[in-house]
Each structure stands twice: as C-alpha cells, then as structure tokens.
Amino acid sequence: MIEPLLLTATQISTFDGGRLLTKASGFFFSRDQRLFLVTSRHVVCDEPSKHFPDRIEIELHVDEVNLTRSTGFSVLLYKDGRSIWRQGEDSAGEIDVAVIELDRAALPATAVLRSFTPEHLQATLHDVEVGSPLLIVGFPLGFHDTLHHLPVVRHAVIASSFGLRFQGQGFFLTDARTHRGTSGAAVVMRAPASAVVGGDLPWKLLGVHSARMDMRTRDLEQDESLGLNCAWYASILLTLTGPAEVDAGAR
C-alpha cells in the first residue's frame, strides 16, 4: 500500500528542444474538476541564470498496482509565443510559484496520481506554531526510488512565524536539509484529527519550497550553512488557479 502523499509529487525535467537542462520537483493541485501542476517559477523561467526551457516533462504512474510502470508526459511552455504558466506578484515583487493547467483528456487513461485541493490549504493560523513538524516531498538532486518512480521526503520544521511575511516577502522559513532539485516541492503538515480533509490525504498544504537561504557574509571555512529555506505560502494557489481572466496577484 503506497502512501497517497507520495503520489501527489512528480519529478519535472526541463528541456530546450531535445536538450535536458535541469530536474526539479512539482505536485498536483485540483480545483473545480481542473488539474494543475505546481512548481517554482524559476523552474520554468529564470532570467538571472538564463534558464529558458521551452518544454517540461513530468513522470506519471500508469498502473495503480505495479508502480514500476510509468511514462513521461510532455508539456510545451509556450503557445502562440506566450507562456502558458500562471505566476503571481505582490507589493514586494514576483512570487516564486508557477502553475500549469493540465489537460486531463490528454493524460494517459490509466494515469495514477493524487492531488491537493483548496480544502488542504491552511485556513487558520492559531494551530501552526514555530517548530511545528513538516515534510518536504520532492526529488533532491533528482534522487528518488527509480524502480517505483516515487519521491522521498525530508523532515523540516517551521523556522519563522507562520502567517507573517518573512522580511516582507510572501514566504515563511523552514529548517530542513534540502538540495537542488527540491525546488517546487510541496511543504506539508499532518492535519490534526479534528481537521482531517475527506479522502486519503490527511495533510495540510502550507507552502511551495523555493530555495535555500544563507548568509553572504558566512565564512565558508568556519561557518556551516544556515540550513534554512524559503517556502512560499500555498494560499497563492487560490489566486493562480482561479478563472483565467482573473489577474494573478498575491494577497
């Protein structure tokens, strides 16, 4: 029996034509019968590093019993010269989250996946405290169960006041050991028994892992890395998965 949480995640490969560029993490989010892929915005486009893929490929299970069976599903990132992903911004600037709507009809008929929904988002702040345990579900350095095509999880804790925008940005901090390739991973907390959402995903989706945070003044020989990470508040998904005509911006 595979934990449904692991089936919410998918590894993302970015390409420029036929050339593999990077690997990252993503997860599925559904709303009003529509299915979305969520990842970090810098996975699909990152000006500072000159990372400009023209398509991505995600890995999907195609047999609920035999998880060794999977297939790649390719998604073009541009249509008629325009990007297909949605991203948001607020008064502090761009938010490092991107969502891509997937055509359910184009997916393999036997595709096996689980998705978070708006019900999995954290509606209140009083039961999320500094030090609360979390999981980050992703593919660090591309590492995963290559036989069963499943992600791994890393333990984390909330390292800044949840609900406050750390340094004015739309993210909170986690304390966890993370690596490249984890960008776009879901940051989740076990839902309390009194707030378990119906279905087989008893988790609260708190954030989208973005990047590690460190001190530029750190002495590389004497000081260890801070081990802190940015996780953008998952509430932005309510905006980014709304009707297409709605202007995407964070609250």
Side-chain angles (χ1 to χ4, degrees):
M1 189 67 180
I2 301 300
E3 295 93 337
L5 177 64
L6 299 181
L7 296 175
T8 64
T10 184
Q11 186 170 53
I12 298 175
S13 301
T14 66
F15 290 87
D16 179 12
R19 181 168 64 98
L20 174 65
L21 299 178
T22 61
K23 289 186 177 291
S25 301
F27 60 92
F28 300 107
F29 186 86
S30 60
R31 182 180 185 184
D32 300 329
Q33 306 304 314
R34 298 152 64 209
L35 180 65
F36 298 88
L37 172 69
V38 182
T39 189
S40 294
R41 188 263 189 181
H42 73 260
V43 170
V44 296
C45 181
D46 187 47
E47 292 87 349
S49 66
K50 301 187 185 305
H51 173 67
F52 302 112
D54 57 17
R55 71 179 178 93
I56 61 172
E57 186 174 291
I58 60 176
E59 189 170 25
L60 297 171
H61 292 91
V62 292
D63 189 320
E64 190 145 19
V65 176
N66 183 4
L67 294 180
T68 65
R69 297 186 59 208
S70 72
T71 188
F73 182 78
S74 185
V75 180
L76 295 176
L77 293 177
Y78 296 88
K79 181 178 181 181
D80 299 328
R82 301 186 63 181
S83 58
I84 67 162
W85 69 84
R86 300 183 188 183
Q87 64 187 58
E89 62 179 31
D90 59 16
S91 58
E94 293 186 344
I95 294 171
D96 192 24
V97 176
V99 301
I100 297 172
E101 185 166 2
L102 302 176
D103 181 359
R104 285 186 182 270
L107 297 178
T110 58
V112 180
L113 59 88
R114 298 292 187 273
S115 59
F116 296 103
T117 70
E119 291 183 319
H120 290 96
L121 300 178
Q122 182 66 27
T124 61
L125 303 179
H126 66 274
D127 54 350
V128 182
E129 301 176 342
V130 170
S132 295
L134 308 170
L135 294 181
I136 301 176
V137 190
F139 301 83
L141 298 179
F143 182 82
H144 63 294
D145 182 341
T146 56
L147 176 62
H148 301 103
H149 314 285
L150 292 170
V152 296
V153 302
R154 302 307 299 254
H155 283 289
V157 298
I158 294 177
S160 66
S161 181
F162 189 82
L164 290 182
R165 295 158 52 86
F166 188 79
Q167 295 182 348
Q169 302 288 323
F171 56 76
F172 62 97
L173 297 187
T174 66
D175 183 347
R177 187 179 181 188
T178 61
H179 300 80
R180 288 181 298 109
T182 313
S183 295
V187 179
V188 300
M189 179 181 74
R190 174 72 72 169
S194 60
V196 170
V197 177
D200 55 4
L201 278 176
W203 300 90
K204 286 293 186 179
L205 176 62
L206 299 189
V208 181
H209 172 81
S210 174
R212 289 170 290 181
M213 176 172 280
D214 208 347
M215 294 290 291
R216 295 178 182 177
T217 56
R218 176 171 64 88
D219 187 308
L220 299 180
E221 293 185 359
Q222 298 188 51
D223 302 319
E224 295 184 3
S225 171
L226 288 176
L228 298 174
N229 311 275
C230 307
W232 294 86
Y233 286 101
S235 57
I236 183 63
L237 297 181
L238 290 179
T239 298
L240 298 184
T241 61
E245 65 272 17
V246 173
D247 183 29
R251 296 181 179 179

